[in-house]
Amino acid sequence: MTALTLSTAAAPGLRADAIVIGVGKGGKGPVVAPGADAVDKAYDGRLAGILETLGASGAEGEITKLPAPAGFKAPLVLAVGLGPEPEDDEAYGAEALRRAAGVAARALTGAKKAAFALPLTDAADAGAIAEGALLGAYSFDAYKDNGKDAKGNGKGPLGEVALLGGKPRDKEYKAAVERALAVTEELNRARDLVNTPPNDLDPEAFAAVAQTAAKEHGIKVEVLDEKALEKGGYGGILGVGAGSAAGPRLVKLTYTHTDATKHLAFVGKGITYDSGGISLKPAGHNETMKCDMSGAAAVFAAVVAAARLGLAVNVTGWLALAENMPSGSATRPGDVLRMYSGKTVEVLNTDAEGRLVLADALWAASAEKPDAIVDVATLTGAMVLALGSRTFGVMANDEAFRSAIVEAAEEVGEPSWPMPLPEHLRKGMDSPTADIANMGERMGGGLVAGLFLREFVGEGITWAHLDIAGPAFNEGGPFGYTPKGGTGSAVRTLVRLAELTAAGDLG
């Protein structure tokens, strides 16, 4: 894990492999951002012109490297684009700082130490830069020979980030950095879980990871195995896991605080591999299905982060874990499952399995009468078609709660969009055999899935559904602080919801 320090040192005298500065995109060319004054002075105030000569414009994510000026102990200056220069009397936003720090950290892979001289005016800026740098420095190389990639390169992530302009003795700065460390470490743990091959992360293995972390951070944990699930009547989870040699699990993580007056329940879909079951996915659609447990990874990370931050709110995490495989014992299209709630579900498509495991976990969460439930799932391809690969959809049975989640997501830099739950789509799930079918109209499939889940939320409980199918796994190239592969989508939104609830600003 990349180390992080607050530093009052001046850029010229700091021993590091690189000095990172920000560059804005001005109306007439690149503009050196605040924080880089000492560097610009060392270039006799000509840094912006030099960068422009080298082709820099200040566009977001742009990287320009140049030799450090004479007298600097660091050999390299790395200029990272912050995007459009703010209007007069305005500062660069938190997300611009996060993304720039992430791009810089990734560009400095293999370096031992870098000094970040990005715009830093208060503790919030320090937290944003720290968060971006720590997320951008992430790498997953557990399965590479000595950490080497396919080309034989063995460079590890950036070793240390020093935030210049930070105030190491200031309580607000220290708290911002400690928060960034806790949240990013748990988010990166979620990324590790998403990236782990399914032959090494079946439901039992995932549950074991949760148990270890819970013990470390004082979180109560309960794991229901196949026998306990059968005894309890969890027909949805059992039905999805019936075709796999690796049995399903339901993991309950409970974090409590003595000063808490509110209780949040987070529910995560944890399909450790999704072949589609008997409704088998075609080639081209199953290669990345190790990521179908991203919702459970997000919930797990958020609960642990809440515990590490000592938030004054009770948080329960439910991880609905199963592997969806075809076999002679697998659930068939046309089978009827009796869910934990007592309702029966006709399974028309075994590849619509996430809603089945979530339904059982939602009903279990509802039994505790929390103030609100939020479920997170890579649930539908329809949501990806609607919102693309970087934005998750938010549905809820309460418009104010839906709006609060969208606002929280925006605050932490996670793109989301409010989605409706049209009542006319519910009829499409009517079944002649059971109480409800697990499929409805094809058009609006993401909304249909949300309506299905709503059927399993206890009466009078505020609930929201986050469909993270698009942003959970990045199949393209890295950008900002987002790597290729598992992204940790929704972790920061859940943590922010817990913080707002603890502060009395939510519900």
Side-chain angles (χ1 to χ4, degrees), residues 29-223:
V31 179
V32 178
D37 300 347
V39 179
D40 189 26
K41 183 179 179 180
Y43 284 106
D44 297 323
R46 298 183 295 111
L47 181 54
I50 293 171
L51 289 169
E52 188 171 20
T53 300
L54 293 172
S57 67
E60 180 184 319
E62 180 182 76
I63 286 289
T64 306
K65 296 181 180 180
L66 60 161
F72 272 58
K73 292 184 178 180
L76 176 72
V77 170
L78 186 147
V80 58
L82 287 159
E85 184 184 20
E87 299 292 333
D88 293 341
D89 299 325
E90 292 187 11
Y92 287 96
E95 184 61 8
L97 296 177
R98 282 190 203 98
R99 292 179 180 178
V103 169
R106 194 170 63 252
L108 291 168
T109 296
K112 292 182 179 179
K113 181 177 181 179
F116 280 58
L118 294 173
L120 198 164
T121 58
D122 56 23
D125 287 346
I129 296 168
E131 198 173 277
L134 294 172
L135 293 177
Y138 171 82
S139 67
F140 182 74
D141 53 16
Y143 291 82
K144 295 175 181 176
D145 182 21
N146 295 321
K148 295 181 180 180
D149 61 21
K151 296 181 180 179
N153 297 319
K155 293 182 178 180
L158 173 61
E160 181 182 347
V161 171
L163 300 187
L164 301 190
K167 300 177 181 179
R169 295 185 180 181
D170 185 284
K171 289 183 179 180
E172 290 186 359
Y173 276 77
K174 288 172 66 176
V177 168
E178 288 171 0
R179 179 193 183 278
L181 281 167
V183 173
T184 57
E185 285 178 2
E186 295 313 320
L187 192 152
N188 284 336
R189 193 205 309 246
R191 288 173 170 178
D192 283 347
L193 287 167
V194 176
N195 289 325
T196 299
N199 57 316
D200 280 345
L201 192 76
D202 61 16
E204 183 179 5
F206 194 149
V209 171
Q211 286 175 306
T212 300
K215 183 178 181 180
E216 180 182 355
H217 296 290
I219 300 168
K220 183 180 178 181
V221 61
E222 180 182 0
V223 179

Side-chain angles (χ1 to χ4, degrees), residues 461-487:
I461 297 176
T462 301
W463 157 81
H465 162 57
L466 279 53
D467 191 336
I468 62 170
F473 195 84
N474 177 24
E475 296 188 58
F479 59 92
Y481 48 81
T482 302
K484 185 178 179 65
T487 65

